[in-house]
């Protein structure tokens, strides 16, 4: 007697595909997004410290322009508003 497992195998593959698209892919995207945000935060911190060292008492706008140019030179793609908030947070840390 032969048993045809084709339908069972198809159902298992469909279930596995559903689990991957529902849980695994969003988890990986979130993990990568979090890692990317942490890397951006790290580079902003480095750039802010470098700008403070290089520009000293010069106006903040020059320092901010340096940070943005530094990130662009590194090939980091970023949201300007998000980076501005990160810059302000890093400057606040320096003044504490």
């Amino acid at each position: 007697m032969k048993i045809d497992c084709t339908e069972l195998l198809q159902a298992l593959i469909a279930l596995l595909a559903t689990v991957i698209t529902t849980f695994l892919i969003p988890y990986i995207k979130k993990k990568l997004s979090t890692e990317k945000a942490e890397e951006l935060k790290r580079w902003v911190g480095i750039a802010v410290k470098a700008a403070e060292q290089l520009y000293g008492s010069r106006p903040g706008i020059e320092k901010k322009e340096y940070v943005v140019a530094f990130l662009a030179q590194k090939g980091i793609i970023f949201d300007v508003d998000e980076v501005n908030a990160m810059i302000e947070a890093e400057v606040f840390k320096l003044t504490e």
Side-chain angles (χ1 to χ4, degrees), residues 13-74:
I13 290 172
L15 178 63
L16 183 61
T18 302
V19 168
I20 288 172
T21 56
T22 303
F23 299 107
L24 188 60
I25 291 175
Y27 171 77
I28 291 171
K29 282 184 179 180
K30 183 178 178 183
K31 179 100 172 132
L32 291 175
S33 178
T34 302
E35 289 173 1
K36 187 176 179 182
E38 287 299 317
E39 181 180 355
L40 176 60
K41 186 177 178 181
R42 184 175 66 84
W43 281 115
V44 167
I46 291 168
V48 165
K49 289 173 186 150
E52 287 295 323
Q53 187 71 29
L54 291 170
Y55 293 98
S57 62
R58 286 173 135 169
I61 191 70
E62 291 180 33
K63 296 174 191 176
K64 190 177 276 190
E65 287 172 355
Y66 172 83
V67 172
V68 171
F70 178 87
L71 296 173
Q73 179 186 11
K74 291 286 181 192

